[in-house]
Amino acid sequence: MQIISLAALSDNYVFLLHDSKKNIAAVVDPADSQLVLQQLAQLKAELVAIFNTHHHHDHVGGNQQLIQQFPQVVVYGGVEDRGRIPGQQVFLQDGDRIQFSDRTAEVFFVPGHTRAHIAYYFPPTTADETGELFCGDTIFSGGCGRLFEGTPTQMVDSLTKLRNLPDNTRVWCAHEYTLGNLRFALTVDGENPDLQRRFAEVTAMRQHQKPTVPSVLGIEKLTNPFLRWDQPSLQLAAKSSDPVQTFARLRAMKDQF
């Protein structure tokens, strides 16, 4: 399974999954149908699945046109998003499994950013493969999504599920927000040497217009404040020893950053 990252809109990423042997493809959160259609034409591949993480327009905006071009495509989303994702046919719950190419993904119900958000995790099947996590707007590289419909408790529970995945898991988040996220992280975890090194690396990457996605979960655990609510340095910054309150205060600080 090849993963092709397509930069869309102002800062979105759309991910095309390609099986070159069967010449089929699936797309995760198609914000822009034209980008997807152009890539499919280049690959001469048939689109067989749309994997949506949540209902926001910058994640489902391309659904309808892709359905028109590929009437047999199957549209997946969370069961709680019923009626909110254009063309949705499959209504997924936590623990469900779906297959594309030679890989099987586990579905995680991860409310917080929205009440219905899901993530797709493809575990490795061989020693030389990595796990692939398509997490929409739940984890960002260096950050997490705003809480539009969920609560801090829900988001901490959701992030805990994803944080428990293997460190070498690649994190395919849906926006190029890394540099701004790390600027905030330094204000609450500035003595963290891993964070300092990462900020320097990401600054150089963005100066050369290089993408910072995918990230790696092990790096996120060391540098992303929204996965570190149980660390003393972050609890000190949030003035709380309670994990959920620490997360909530950090998220409120980021909202105002």
Side-chain angles (χ1 to χ4, degrees), residues 153-168:
T153 298
Q154 285 180 313
M155 194 62 150
V156 168
D157 288 344
S158 296
L159 292 171
T160 297
K161 289 182 186 179
L162 303 183
R163 189 175 73 165
N164 287 336
L165 294 173
D167 282 0
N168 67 347

Side-chain angles (χ1 to χ4, degrees), residues 94-97 103-110 118-124 130-136 138-139 156-173 215-222 227 229:
D94 192 70
D96 283 349
R97 283 174 168 76
R103 304 285 288 270
T104 299
E106 181 177 352
V107 174
F108 289 93
F109 178 50
V110 286
I118 61 172
Y120 303 85
Y121 171 63
F122 289 85
T130 57
E132 313 292 358
L133 174 64
F134 298 94
C135 55
T138 300
I139 296 178
V156 168
D157 288 344
S158 296
L159 292 171
T160 297
K161 289 182 186 179
L162 303 183
R163 189 175 73 165
N164 287 336
L165 294 173
D167 282 0
N168 67 347
T169 302
R170 292 198 292 184
V171 181
W172 300 88
C173 52
S215 181
V216 178
L217 189 58
I219 294 173
E220 294 302 318
K221 293 177 186 179
L222 293 172
L227 296 182
W229 57 81

Side-chain angles (χ1 to χ4, degrees), residues 1-76:
M1 184 179 77
Q2 177 191 14
I3 303 172
I4 301 168
S5 180
L6 305 173
L9 307 180
S10 61
D11 52 36
N12 276 70
Y13 286 115
V14 176
F15 305 115
L16 195 70
L17 316 182
H18 181 224
D19 180 333
S20 59
K21 292 181 180 178
K22 297 179 181 177
N23 215 23
I24 57 173
V27 65
V28 181
D29 286 348
D32 183 330
S33 61
Q34 289 305 310
L35 284 174
V36 177
L37 292 170
Q38 290 167 12
Q39 189 66 50
L40 290 169
Q42 184 177 331
L43 295 169
K44 296 184 172 61
E46 178 189 3
L47 187 68
V48 298
I50 297 173
F51 298 137
N52 291 122
T53 62
H54 64 294
H55 75 288
H56 285 162
H57 183 72
D58 62 331
H59 294 255
V60 304
N63 278 27
Q64 291 286 26
Q65 188 167 358
L66 292 174
I67 293 167
Q68 290 172 9
Q69 294 294 321
F70 297 93
Q72 302 306 311
V73 71
V74 179
V75 181
Y76 297 77

Side-chain angles (χ1 to χ4, degrees), residues 155-248:
M155 194 62 150
V156 168
D157 288 344
S158 296
L159 292 171
T160 297
K161 289 182 186 179
L162 303 183
R163 189 175 73 165
N164 287 336
L165 294 173
D167 282 0
N168 67 347
T169 302
R170 292 198 292 184
V171 181
W172 300 88
C173 52
H175 291 275
E176 182 57 67
Y177 288 164
T178 312
L179 188 57
N181 285 338
L182 296 184
R183 285 196 181 106
F184 167 76
L186 285 169
T187 68
V188 293
D189 199 18
E191 301 301 312
N192 181 340
D194 296 305
L195 175 57
Q196 294 168 359
R197 282 191 294 272
R198 188 181 184 198
F199 180 73
E201 292 168 359
V202 167
T203 298
M205 291 173 72
R206 294 308 295 158
Q207 285 174 346
H208 292 89
Q209 299 300 305
K210 292 182 178 179
T212 64
V213 174
S215 181
V216 178
L217 189 58
I219 294 173
E220 294 302 318
K221 293 177 186 179
L222 293 172
T223 61
N224 186 332
F226 299 107
L227 296 182
R228 291 166 51 79
W229 57 81
D230 48 6
Q231 294 298 309
S233 59
L234 274 301
Q235 292 184 347
L236 182 63
K239 299 179 180 177
S240 175
S241 60
D242 177 76
V244 172
Q245 189 175 65
T246 296
F247 171 84

